[in-house]
Amino acid sequence: MNTLLLGDHGSRRLGWNEVGSPSGIPVIHCHGGLSCRLESRFADRICKRHGVRWITADRPGIGASDIQPGRKLMDWAEDMAALADHLQLGRFAVSGWSAGGPYALACGAVLGRRVTRIATLAGMAPLRQGADIRALGMATDRFLFRVSPRSPRLAALGLSAARQAPSRLLRASIARMLANGPDAPFLPATLVDQVTASFSESLRPGGLGTARDYGLLAADWGFSPDQITSPVSLWHGRDDTLLPFDHATRLQAMLPSASLQALPGVGHFLLQRCLDDVLDELMTG
């Protein structure tokens, strides 16, 4: 794990992880919800094969990153610009899985031509509350999107209780989730342990950072699609039961110049199934 000091007088830590080739083409990845920088660990060999340096940072209050009072979703782009400066990166591509998709788009809206390409992978569209929340496949997501905007501290209590569950029960719950869906035959056996570790690490500082993250995602994202000038590709499984395919079609309506890769027989875990193809496209920028 690496850390960078941000904010006034270096008052806030940003934690990040890298996999792949240290001298490779940089891609900054935005992790999903209930996850953290560790979600990219599976990709080391794939990224080395493509000559990619894949960089994943924890959002504020998650994992190794300190909470950022009063933050807005778009502030994430400034953090990524500071990280890129620290790593002496010029231009870079951005990817975002699931709840990380809006943060990847925010990087494009704020950082302009510094971002070569953007890929959202099973990325979420703006929530219209009500039906959109009821359609989400995970009870935890439905709880967080309902409660976090009104009472992030209450949502944090629920998350803290979940983290205190015996590790065997947590692992069994994650194993059941991964086994139910079209991706199951294609996922590595090690993924259960990796997802369990990412979930636990994301809540290590407590649940407030994650609760506030969900609150921001449920609100107005704070940028207009026409601010994004980088090429955008939207990758989404047609059989995604956790974040339905409707999110992809709504994102494409927001971003008419974006390409949509609609993947039959693929569920929510296309990050593990389709990363080779995603990296091929991101490298064309």
Side-chain angles (χ1 to χ4, degrees):
M1 183 192 71
N2 308 285
T3 58
L4 171 66
L5 295 179
L6 298 174
D8 294 337
H9 310 295
S11 58
R12 179 168 59 89
R13 290 176 304 166
L14 177 79
W16 85 91
N17 184 52
E18 297 187 28
V19 298
S21 173
S23 59
I25 298 171
V27 177
I28 288 180
H29 178 67
C30 303
H31 64 75
L34 298 171
S35 188
C36 67
R37 70 190 184 281
L38 300 183
E39 84 177 21
S40 61
R41 289 189 302 175
F42 82 95
D44 185 58
R45 191 176 306 172
I46 298 171
C47 289
K48 284 178 177 172
R49 186 165 66 243
H50 287 266
V52 166
R53 181 185 185 182
W54 215 31
I55 302 155
T56 307
D58 291 334
R59 293 195 285 276
I62 295 172
S65 291
D66 293 333
I67 206 155
Q68 181 183 8
R71 81 174 175 105
K72 299 178 176 62
L73 191 146
M74 290 181 68
D75 293 339
W76 181 244
E78 300 296 345
D79 280 0
M80 293 304 92
L83 178 58
D85 290 344
H86 174 74
L87 296 174
Q88 298 183 318
L89 306 180
R91 303 180 73 207
F92 50 86
V94 182
S95 62
W97 177 58
S98 192
Y103 286 96
L105 295 174
C107 288
V110 175
L111 303 180
R113 289 186 53 79
R114 189 167 190 186
V115 175
T116 57
R117 296 190 72 92
I118 302 167
T120 70
L121 318 172
M124 65 176 289
L127 290 176
R128 299 168 297 191
Q129 300 302 313
D132 283 349
I133 293 177
R134 290 193 296 273
L136 298 173
M138 281 182 59
T140 305
D141 283 343
R142 295 193 296 271
F143 166 76
L144 289 172
F145 280 124
R146 287 188 179 116
V147 176
S148 294
R150 302 191 304 272
S151 181
R153 293 192 180 278
L154 178 59
L157 286 175
L159 287 169
S160 296
R163 189 177 185 274
Q164 297 305 316
S167 58
R168 61 182 177 80
L169 295 180
L170 175 60
R171 189 182 185 282
S173 175
I174 289 172
R176 284 194 299 272
M177 178 186 69
L178 295 179
N180 293 326
D183 302 320
F186 305 95
L187 300 179
T190 56
L191 189 61
V192 172
D193 290 329
Q194 290 179 11
V195 173
T196 303
S198 292
F199 175 82
S200 296
E201 171 64 12
S202 72
L203 298 177
R204 180 166 56 88
L208 188 57
T210 294
R212 288 182 172 171
D213 199 53
Y214 272 75
L216 291 176
L217 291 163
D220 188 308
W221 293 350
F223 61 89
S224 171
D226 60 15
Q227 293 176 248
I228 302 172
T229 57
S230 309
V232 178
S233 55
L234 311 170
W235 298 71
H236 214 109
R238 286 197 172 274
D239 297 330
D240 191 334
T241 58
L242 299 187
L243 198 69
F245 185 75
D246 169 66
H247 282 257
T249 57
R250 286 195 281 124
L251 281 174
Q252 189 178 39
M254 290 171 52
L255 301 158
S257 64
S259 64
L260 174 57
Q261 305 294 334
L263 306 170
V266 176
H268 196 60
F269 292 90
L270 59 81
L271 180 63
Q272 287 76 20
R273 292 185 61 179
C274 304
L275 186 57
D276 275 300
D277 292 334
V278 171
L279 292 179
D280 278 342
E281 185 170 87
L282 285 175
M283 294 307 97
T284 63

